[in-house]
Amino acid sequence: MSSAQPPKDFTGLKQMSKNSSIAAGWPAISSSIKHVFGAMPVARGLKTLFNLNQKGGVDCPSCAWPDPDDHRSGLGEYCENGAKAIADEATTLKATPVFFQRYSVAEMASKSDYWLGQQGRLTHPMVIREGQSHYEKITWEGAFELISKELNDLKSPDEAIFYTSGRSSNEAAFLYQLFIRAFGTNNLPDCSNMCHESSGVALTETLGLGKGSVTLDDFEKAEVIVIMGQNPGTNHPRMLTTLEKAKKNGAKIVAINPLFETGLLGFKNPQTMQGLFGQGATLTDLYLQIRINGDLALLKAVGKKLIDLEAIDFDFIQKNTDGYSDFLKQFETVDIESLLEDAGISLGQFDELVNLLAENSKIIVCWAMGLTQHKNSVATIQEVVNLLLLRGSIGKEGAGTCPVRGHSNVQGDRTVGIMHKPSAAFNEAIEKNFGFTPPQQHGYDVVEAIEAMYEKKAKVFFALGGNFLSASPDTEYTAQAMKNCSLTVQVSTKLNRSHLIHGKTALILPCLGRTDKDFQKSGEQFVTTENSMGVVQKSQGVLNPLSEDMMSEPAIVAHLAHKVLGNKHDMNWLAYIENYTLIREDIAKTIEGFKNFEEKVTQDGGFYLPNAPREGKFKTSSGKAKFTVNIWEKLSVKPNEYLMMTIRSHDQFNTTVYGLNDRYRGIYNERRIVFMNPKDMFKAGFENYEKVDIINEFGGIKRIAECFLVVPYNIPMGCLATYFPEANVLVPLHAKADGSQTPASKSVVVKLEKIK
């Protein structure tokens, strides 16, 4: 039987080094060179890097941090992890049909995620049928015929699930959702459900738009930048350059995180002489090492203190907000000392934070999954909004909300229609422009999709990109859900574990990546993406594909739609393949803000989508921003239990593992580790690097992550940290954020047992 989890073998933890206090610099350059030129010839590597994130070049398939609107470095607008992502995609290694003849599914499943990713680009469509042990080659026509038969044989379109990763372009995502709605379902779960759905829900309810309100230029004008639950040094390294510029302009930077992350302490910009040969820049002025999920308690305490000090913008509140009186009333029973005890912050640090916020009004608050993946995530983000509203810090230069998205086009996918709960306005636009009535019933999100497959209510699973199994919670439950399907289909560039835990029949469809040239009948094509700050830009590949049997994502979707739907709805799906301009013309007719799409996106740097909160306008039911009252409930754990969060290493992006090191945290050649406070270790009787199993028993179900090493680390007492996807088996499917259903991967109650 194929293993749903990565192998439990240790790879050999090497001597740990002291935590680094400076990010980037020469080590980042060395790492980038090693990854890029270890994966491809020098000329191919240089060509790719020099076009990365340039105007009209290749949009990095890694994070969604925006590029400068004006000047961009001629050396390349990329970071160490961007270089790793490019090396991973643009490698010249190939996983051909011969590879799949050599290795059975069971043999591949026994390998590590790192090994799987190192086998190279997928080159041909592959199929495995019930009872077979190996994937085998199939034609594209055969693959589309197989999928079409399975879909059209379903009793209801709602028995099919269509997942989307944040790598897909706007063009592919728009066609995909159009096909799925024409097929008859809104079952469109996507990676937003697992990461920033809490941000979208909280911001839509309070500000009328589920996106951030700042631009990159706002950082240079900010007076205070608060970074919560985020590790930019590893997950969004180009953000460090932005923070360095803000710091030079006088901004104060506050970091709030359970771990001391190197990228928030110091930065050596590898594209400057000072960064290469100088001391580097100290970034953070105030670092609050909060307990896991103590953010809401801290924010409520800050709100009360600002009101007590009368350090609030009364004029802004009166003109632009609703709900202030109820918000104010709650503080009659709020005790700051109790809140700070729950947060794990001293009164002195708290006062320093409050003084910074009280003395400045140009405040930006940034956050990532450290805030979005808890039971109370929506409430926490709404409390962020409360803070900014108190100070009048929305709708002005240098101030606002900044949810920092991970995957490079996860925000764009949602903008162009990848959503399981479409609005009435969106449905009306689809019907008006394409002549069919889309389904009105809401579809499945990720958690609901897994439940539906597990209960055999859904029978076909189709993934446009991503590594659904490894990204999802409750690994064993999710694995069984996928095995219950009659057909699973993965559109992919590289091999991953989702190919190995599959339905009765499974397909792997190899697609072009961002770096690959895309030639269609009308000539060379480009696609578009949207970054974290609402800029839509073009992306055009520069490398010849490694195989003629790779197909672009828009072409895969259009061929599939043509095969499944035929002439239904009188739509010419194949025409979209010939010229992607036709897709963009239909996006412009359907999605607000895309008027003159083709013209605007071909301009240098692309264009900004409309953003009402950025302009001080709020498209809520009242036309004003909303204060909310959010209840803090402390998550209690038993004496022998801990609160665990899953994190990335420095050598990975999402579920893609580039290597076995976590340089900034001093970990080398091992991923099966659990970070633990030395005092907790002493109290529990654990030795350094002792072997343990990690156990979660949510809902009466025992989940075990076997064979981990206990590593002493500077983390608050009662808290643990582990890497995902290795620890995803511990994340209960039904432990999720209220209001968004995002899995609570950052607050998992666990206990540790020594391995005898």
Side-chain angles (χ1 to χ4, degrees), residues 126-157:
M126 306 297 295
V127 64
I128 186 169
R129 304 178 193 274
E130 188 171 9
Q132 291 183 330
S133 60
H134 290 67
Y135 275 96
E136 61 185 20
K137 185 178 175 182
I138 188 174
T139 65
W140 278 103
E141 181 59 29
F144 292 134
E145 180 66 37
L146 194 160
I147 301 169
S148 176
K149 185 179 187 310
E150 287 282 346
L151 290 176
N152 285 320
D153 283 349
L154 295 174
K155 294 179 181 178
S156 164

Side-chain angles (χ1 to χ4, degrees), residues 486-501:
S486 60
L487 175 67
T488 53
V489 184
Q490 308 284 340
V491 178
S492 307
T493 57
K494 304 283 290 292
L495 187 65
N496 64 55
R497 198 160 297 277
S498 293
H499 302 135
L500 312 178
I501 306 299

